[in-house]
Amino acid sequence: MLRKICTFTMLLAGIIISAARHDSLPSNTADLLKLIDTESQRLDRFSASILMKADSIAGSLDTIENAHDRMQSLLRLGDLYRNVYSDSAITVYRRGFEEARLNSDSTMAQKFLIRTAMQNHALGLDLESVQLLDHVNASGVTSENLLEYNQAALSVNAALYEMYPQSARRQEYRKKAISHAHKVNELSANKLYDTNLIKIAPAFLAKENGNIAEMVGLLNEIMDSASMSDPRYSLAASMLGKHYSEIGNQKEAIRIYALGTIADIRNANFHGDTQILLAKELYESGDISRSYDYLINALDRSIRVGSKTNQTAISTELKPVADDFRHMEERRMLLLAIMAGILVIALVVILKIQLSLRREMNSLKEMKQRLSNANAAKEAYISQYLSLCSTFLERLEGFAKTCRRKITAGQIEDLLSFVKSGKTID
C-alpha cells in the first residue's frame, strides 16, 4: 500500500513539474515564432554563460594532479565547447584521448574518440565519424562505453542513410542503424545505464518498421516529459517535425520545429539544424521574410561553430528564399515609391489649393477695402448733400419771410425788383 502511495505521488509530481515547465511556453505557433525572435537576440548571452564555465574548467586543468580527474575535466570542457566552438571541442577531445592513451586508460580513450566522432557528425563529417567508431569497435568497446558507442553509431549511420538516398551503400547504413538501435534498446533496459537518448532508438525502429503511430507517440512523449536542456528535445522535434511535414500538416510541423529551435537557442547550440528545417517550412508556407531571417541567423551560427555541411545546406536553401525575398523587397519598395508619389501629388494639390485660397482671401480683402472706401465716400456725399439741402431750405425760408414782409408793407415793386435781381436764395 505504501509503495502504491509513493508511486502515485511521484507520478503526480512528475506531471505537475512537466506542466509547469511547458506552461511557460506560448501555446500557439505565432507566439512561439515571436519568442524565437526574442530569444535569438539573447543567444550570445546564453553562449557566454557556457563559455564562462568552460573558461573556469580550462583555467583549473593545470592544477589537477589526478590523471583521471583531469580527463573527466577535459571531457566536460569538450562537451561545453561542442555546440559553440567545434574546433575547440575536437582539440580538447584529442588532447583527452592522448592523455588517456598515455595513462593506458582504454575506457576514457574510447570515450574521447566517441565524442570526437559525434562532433564530426554534428559538423556533417559522417564518413570521418564512421572511421573513428570503427576504430573504437576494432579495439573492443568497453562495457562502460557500450551504450554511448551504439548511440553514436546509430546517429551516424541513420544520418548516412538519410543523406545518400541514391547510394549503393544506403541499405548497408540502414541495416547498421537498425542493429545499433536494437543494441541501444537492450542496453537501455539495464538500470545501470542512465542516458539522454534512450527513447530515440525505439522511435527510429518504429519508423523503420512502418509503425508511424508508435513513432509519433514516443516522440511526443519525449517532448512532453523532457526538459528543453535535454538533447532529446531538439532531436525529437526534428524527427517529429519531419513526419508532420511529410504528411502535409504544415501548421503542426512549424509548431514542433519552433519548439526545437527555442531549445537549440537556449542551449546555445550554434549548429542550428532545427532552425534550418523551420525556415524551410516557413518558406513553403509563404512566410518569406521570417524564413530569410532564420536562414541568415542559422548561417551566421554555422559559420561561428565551423559547420561546413550546414553552411552548404543553408546556402542551398537560402538561394531561392533570398531571390523571393529580394523580389518581395523590390515590390515593397515599388509600393512605397508609388505611395510616396501619391503623397507628393497630394501635397502639391493641397499646396495649390492653399495658394488659390490665399489669393481669393487677398482678393476678398481688397474688395472689402474698396467697399469700405466706397461706403465712406457715399456717406460723405450724403452728408454734403443733406448739408446743402439744409442750407437751401434755410435760405428758402428766409426768402419766404422777405416776400411776406414786402407784400405786407405794400412794397410790390421792390419785391418784383428783388426777384428779378437773382439774389433771392443766394
Side-chain angles (χ1 to χ4, degrees):
M1 183 66 182
L2 181 61
R3 175 180 291 182
K4 290 182 179 180
I5 293 173
C6 291
T7 303
F8 177 77
T9 303
M10 290 176 67
L11 287 172
L12 183 62
I15 293 171
I16 293 172
I17 291 170
S18 176
R21 176 168 58 246
H22 292 287
D23 281 348
S24 61
L25 290 172
S27 58
N28 63 76
T29 304
D31 289 339
L32 285 172
L33 295 176
K34 289 179 182 177
L35 181 60
I36 291 174
D37 298 337
T38 302
E39 295 292 80
S40 295
Q41 297 175 4
R42 302 172 58 197
L43 179 61
D44 287 335
R45 190 184 306 174
F46 293 134
S47 62
S49 175
I50 292 175
L51 292 176
M52 284 179 63
K53 297 176 184 177
D55 290 342
S56 176
I57 294 174
S60 63
L61 282 175
D62 294 336
T63 64
I64 302 174
E65 296 181 359
N66 183 278
H68 183 75
D69 292 343
R70 188 163 56 254
M71 284 185 286
Q72 288 290 345
S73 294
L74 285 169
L75 198 66
R76 174 63 177 156
L77 181 60
D79 291 345
L80 289 171
Y81 280 142
R82 65 184 176 185
N83 287 332
V84 183
Y85 295 131
S86 290
D87 290 343
S88 298
I90 292 175
T91 300
V92 170
Y93 288 145
R94 286 175 178 171
R95 176 182 171 183
F97 169 75
E98 292 298 331
E99 190 154 338
R101 190 169 60 85
L102 290 173
N103 286 277
S104 301
D105 191 334
S106 59
T107 297
M108 290 302 295
Q110 288 183 358
K111 195 174 290 293
F112 281 114
L113 285 177
I114 294 169
R115 300 287 172 91
T116 303
M118 285 304 295
Q119 193 62 31
N120 284 334
H121 168 59
L123 295 174
L125 306 175
D126 291 302
L127 295 178
E128 287 83 345
S129 298
V130 169
Q131 293 176 359
L132 288 172
L133 292 174
D134 286 345
H135 179 74
V136 171
N137 187 45
S139 64
V141 184
T142 63
S143 58
E144 293 89 341
N145 292 323
L146 274 174
L147 186 56
E148 186 174 357
Y149 164 76
N150 282 286
Q151 288 168 348
L154 166 60
S155 298
V156 172
N157 283 283
L160 289 169
Y161 167 59
E162 296 289 342
M163 190 181 302
Y164 301 109
Q166 305 300 325
S167 173
R169 300 190 61 185
R170 184 170 189 264
Q171 290 305 316
E172 180 183 344
Y173 293 136
R174 180 176 182 271
K175 289 179 182 179
K176 287 182 178 180
I178 292 174
S179 174
H180 288 297
H182 282 299
K183 290 178 183 178
V184 169
N185 282 346
E186 294 171 6
L187 292 167
S188 299
N190 188 340
K191 299 300 182 182
L192 294 176
Y193 289 100
D194 182 19
T195 179
N196 284 332
L197 301 175
I198 291 175
K199 293 185 180 179
I200 295 297
F204 173 79
L205 289 173
K207 179 184 177 183
E208 293 304 313
N209 292 329
N211 298 325
I212 303 301
E214 181 184 355
M215 178 200 75
V216 172
L218 289 168
L219 293 175
N220 274 315
E221 182 182 350
I222 293 173
M223 296 193 69
D224 289 340
S225 61
S227 166
M228 277 194 163
S229 61
D230 193 322
R232 290 180 300 179
Y233 198 93
S234 177
L235 185 57
S238 296
M239 292 179 66
L240 191 57
K242 285 179 182 177
H243 163 71
Y244 284 122
S245 179
E246 288 170 359
I247 65 174
N249 192 343
Q250 196 172 70
K251 183 177 180 180
E252 189 64 12
I254 291 173
R255 188 184 72 84
I256 296 298
Y257 284 147
L259 290 170
T261 300
I262 292 170
D264 281 341
I265 292 172
R266 291 181 174 178
N267 292 326
N269 185 352
F270 280 29
H271 294 283
D273 296 339
T274 313
Q275 191 169 27
I276 299 171
L277 297 171
L278 174 60
K280 182 179 179 181
E281 205 69 32
L282 286 170
Y283 174 65
E284 293 177 356
S285 71
D287 193 345
I288 299 173
S289 179
R290 186 171 262 126
S291 174
Y292 178 80
D293 290 340
Y294 286 178
L295 285 174
I296 291 297
N297 289 340
L299 180 61
D300 177 65
R301 297 209 305 270
S302 295
I303 293 172
R304 291 169 67 180
V305 79
S307 178
K308 302 293 185 183
T309 303
N310 274 5
Q311 291 174 38
T312 302
I314 294 169
S315 298
T316 302
E317 296 292 340
L318 187 59
K319 188 180 185 305
V321 178
D323 289 341
D324 286 351
F325 182 77
R326 187 179 66 255
H327 294 153
M328 184 181 70
E329 288 297 305
E330 288 174 353
R331 289 193 295 270
R332 185 179 299 172
M333 292 301 296
L334 178 62
L335 180 60
L336 288 174
I338 293 172
M339 292 177 66
I342 293 173
L343 182 60
V344 169
I345 293 171
L347 289 173
V348 170
V349 171
I350 291 171
L351 183 60
K352 286 186 176 180
I353 293 173
Q354 187 176 6
L355 291 173
S356 176
L357 288 173
R358 183 172 295 178
R359 283 195 297 269
E360 290 180 5
M361 288 297 294
N362 291 334
S363 178
L364 288 172
K365 285 181 180 180
E366 291 176 2
M367 187 177 293
K368 183 179 178 182
Q369 185 63 39
R370 287 198 298 269
L371 287 172
S372 179
N373 294 337
N375 287 334
K378 182 180 70 174
E379 290 176 359
Y381 291 147
I382 292 172
S383 178
Q384 187 176 0
Y385 174 75
L386 291 175
S387 178
L388 289 172
C389 288
S390 177
T391 302
F392 177 77
L393 289 172
E394 288 176 358
R395 289 182 179 183
L396 186 60
E397 186 179 356
F399 174 74
K401 288 179 180 181
T402 301
C403 288
R404 284 195 298 271
R405 188 174 63 248
K406 285 186 180 293
I407 290 171
T408 302
Q411 298 175 352
I412 300 302
E413 291 184 1
D414 288 344
L415 177 60
L416 182 60
S417 179
F418 176 75
V419 171
K420 289 181 177 180
S421 67
K423 298 180 179 180
T424 54
I425 306 177
D426 290 343

